[in-house]
Amino acid sequence: MKADVLLGLQWGDEGKGKIVDVLTPAYDIIARFQGGPNAGHTLEFNGIKHVLHTIPSGIFHPTAINIVGNGVVIDPVIFKKEIDALIKMGVDVKSKLRIASRAHLILPTHRILDAASEAHKGSEKIGSTLKGIGPTYMDKTGRNGLRVGEISNPKFREKYEQLVSKHKEILAAYNYEYNLAELEPAFFEGIALLKTLETVDCEQFINEALKNKKTILAEGAQGSLLDIDFGSYPFVTSSSTICAGACTGLGLAPGRIGNVIGIFKAYCTRVGSGPFPTELNDQTGEQIRRTGKEFGSTTGRPRRTGWLDLPALKFAVMINGVTELIMMKADVLSEFDTIKVCTHYLHKGKKIDYLPYDISSEFVTPVYEELAGWKKDLTGLHAIEDMPPELCSYVEYIEKATGIPIRIVSVGPDRKQTLIRHQVTA
Ligand code: GDP
Ligand code: IMO
Ligand code: MG
């Protein structure tokens, strides 16, 4: 068996949570492979709207096992809140959740360091979610981090204090004021809860499952344009958000990857700083934000909005080896007479259709093609046959440009507002 991977192809918030939830009945295991509580994955069904941060989006399914992989960074405080909320909703979280012992822990001082670093950068700030993601991955690669497997070590507290004292030295250099004592009780309550959950060696768990013919869907967080290597650096997150991240984040060999399901919005959004070639700082952008309710699921910040960027989408398809596409939020564009799509960039006097090293506005100018809008409310559609012809043309246009079939078109936030065009291809 091979594991399928679902990941975002833009700057995050493409609708991964919704689609993982929709696809979960076809899988035995849902495995989050990177990121942490910077993610906010929204699910809507039966009138319930729920946002998950660290817990995989298959948790509402009655039998699927949900594993938090070794590539994820866990904030015990947020994790506890997520679990408490799910238990309150009657979800049997504990029997369906597994945590990789190699996953790294976000300490309260990581969060403080994130805030101190952003404050220090001033107008150059990344626009981080301030969840401590960057500092935690820095400690991981710097070989200072604390992993979930350590929490049962009698020396855990000692190791914690050692790392905290390193952090205090850095914070002193930033000259940043903070109150650690206020944050620590919740952290240790979270650690106590983590101790009651089932930890596993993720790589063994995943590979045994594949050997036993279990089906696995790896769930990404953020999006390819926020990837630490291939995103618009330094305005990126600190993990590998691309398909390769599923290998390192779960212990999955490259040859064990099956379908790579790439998800994108019918337009673009970005939250936080950094270049955004097709950004619309006008009424149209405001209309997309309002209709699409484009406000961060984790931070509530307004998301920046813009037209679909094909060079960026094709780049993400290439980097990830995407085998099928899912297009989200088609309903949000229903009001427009025409819809623009960026087909190329003007770059150093030339027309190019790939992503150059720097995509800031001084280096690239988007070139658009204007397509007919469908001017029809899509939110009540249930069958692909009911799609208006202009929407079919839009979908086919993107398929032609990317060379990849669009398997699903999403027309609303609810599970049911999902139009399936093709079944699984492999
Ligand atoms: P994720 O981080 O990729 O899981 O995406 P988010 O949950 O952060 O953001 C996607 C937002 O769009 C959420 O509020 C979803 O409920 C909503 N959403 C998902 N699919 C659709 C869709 O097809 N149409 C509309 N209007 N909203 C959608
Ligand atoms: P999901 O999984 C959208 C953005 C932040 C910031 C940059 C770095 O819900 O799609 P970080 O806190 O990671 O250091 O922030 O990345 N960012 C996201 N944007 N969706 C996300 O996750 C994001 N996670 C981080 O806004 O620009
Ligand atoms: Mg999100």
Side-chain angles (χ1 to χ4, degrees):
M1 289 297 283
K2 293 188 178 192
D4 292 341
V5 179
L6 181 142
L7 39 73
L9 299 180
Q10 296 164 321
W11 282 284
D13 301 329
E14 296 88 352
K16 299 174 290 292
K18 165 178 168 166
I19 294 297
V20 170
D21 173 61
V22 165
L23 298 181
T24 296
Y27 293 94
D28 298 309
I29 297 168
I30 307 298
R32 240 308 272 282
F33 60 85
Q34 45 67 234
N38 47 350
H41 294 183
T42 315
L43 289 71
E44 280 195 45
F45 55 92
N46 303 341
I48 296 170
K49 177 174 170 176
H50 195 80
V51 182
L52 294 164
H53 300 287
T54 329
I55 293 177
S57 303
I59 199 71
F60 288 98
H61 188 267
T63 56
I65 295 294
N66 287 256
I67 177 160
V68 179
N70 55 274
V72 177
V73 289
I74 300 176
D75 183 334
V77 181
I78 295 175
F79 204 57
K80 181 173 183 308
K81 280 192 193 146
E82 283 193 75
I83 289 175
D84 288 348
L86 288 167
I87 291 175
K88 220 170 163 185
M89 291 169 79
V91 179
D92 179 15
V93 195
K94 291 194 178 178
S95 74
K96 293 190 289 182
L97 191 63
R98 306 286 182 275
I99 300 153
S101 40
R102 294 178 195 271
H104 278 246
L105 293 171
I106 301 176
L107 272 49
T109 39
H110 284 130
R111 269 186 281 147
I112 298 169
L113 281 166
D114 204 356
S117 164
E118 286 285 80
H120 182 74
K121 284 185 168 159
S123 64
E124 304 284 295
K125 70 176 183 192
I126 307 297
S128 143
T129 58
L130 303 179
K131 303 293 175 194
I133 305 297
T136 306
Y137 280 114
M138 278 167 73
D139 271 340
K140 175 178 177 175
T141 51
R143 296 157 296 175
N144 295 315
L146 269 181
R147 297 186 290 177
V148 168
E150 288 303 316
I151 60 177
S152 46
N153 183 335
K155 290 199 168 153
F156 176 71
R157 184 76 199 215
E158 205 178 299
K159 290 186 169 204
Y160 168 86
E161 297 296 349
Q162 266 173 11
L163 185 51
V164 166
S165 69
K166 272 191 189 160
H167 292 164
K168 283 180 176 167
E169 282 173 29
I170 306 170
L171 286 165
Y174 275 124
N175 202 11
Y176 188 81
E177 274 189 36
Y178 58 93
N179 186 343
L180 180 58
E182 233 174 38
L183 304 174
E184 279 183 329
F187 175 78
F188 286 103
E189 275 173 36
I191 293 292
L193 174 86
L194 268 180
K195 282 185 179 167
T196 68
L197 301 173
E198 193 172 335
T199 53
V200 293
D201 295 327
C202 181
E203 60 291 354
Q204 288 296 340
F205 183 87
I206 291 284
N207 286 286
E208 280 294 312
L210 289 175
K211 215 191 272 175
N212 294 325
K213 305 230 175 309
K214 301 279 186 215
T215 48
I216 300 178
L217 179 64
E219 174 180 2
Q222 290 80 55
S224 300
L225 304 178
L226 288 170
D227 180 72
I228 183 71
D229 283 280
F230 299 105
S232 39
Y233 193 88
F235 302 103
V236 293
T237 191
S238 298
S239 64
S240 290
T241 61
I242 59 170
C243 189
C247 297
T248 55
L250 296 173
L252 194 61
R256 291 254 171 226
I257 290 182
N259 291 323
V260 180
I261 307 165
I263 178 165
F264 69 100
K265 282 179 192 171
Y267 49 94
C268 281
T269 65
R270 173 164 205 171
V271 61
S273 327
F276 181 176
T278 63
E279 182 167 15
L280 291 163
N281 287 308
D282 59 8
Q283 258 319 102
T284 308
E286 186 53 45
Q287 196 177 340
I288 295 176
R289 181 161 37 251
R290 201 175 348 102
T291 313
K293 299 195 174 70
E294 295 295 356
F295 295 90
S297 312
T298 296
T299 58
R301 291 179 291 178
R303 294 176 183 145
R304 300 156 64 194
T305 54
W307 295 119
L308 185 66
D309 184 334
L310 281 178
L313 189 63
K314 287 196 278 190
F315 177 81
V317 163
M318 173 183 79
I319 290 294
N320 292 299
V322 169
T323 58
E324 54 191 59
L325 289 166
I326 296 185
M327 186 172 91
M328 307 300 290
K329 303 191 98 161
D331 55 297
V332 175
L333 298 183
S334 288
E335 294 163 6
F336 296 101
D337 293 331
T338 57
I339 294 163
K340 284 191 186 174
V341 176
C342 166
T343 55
H344 294 81
Y345 299 140
L346 281 181
H347 174 63
K348 296 183 180 167
K350 273 208 220 132
K351 217 170 150 191
I352 60 166
D353 70 347
Y354 60 88
L355 221 62
Y357 174 75
D358 195 333
I359 56 165
S360 48
S361 57
E362 59 199 279
F363 294 104
V364 300
T365 309
V367 178
Y368 292 102
E369 194 168 325
E370 205 155 349
L371 306 177
W374 39 90
K375 299 286 282 179
K376 184 178 169 188
D377 178 18
L378 308 176
T379 54
L381 299 192
H382 293 294
I384 207 80
E385 297 76 41
D386 300 332
M387 277 192 354
E390 297 84 355
L391 175 58
C392 292
S393 301
Y394 192 69
V395 165
E396 284 158 15
Y397 182 88
I398 298 165
E399 285 183 322
K400 191 158 172 245
T402 56
I404 309 293
I406 297 184
R407 177 178 157 199
I408 291 175
V409 177
S410 175
V411 292
D414 194 89
R415 254 184 204 168
K416 290 196 184 125
Q417 293 169 305
T418 310
L419 310 178
I420 312 277
R421 291 182 78 230
H422 308 285
Q423 291 305 327
V424 188
T425 50

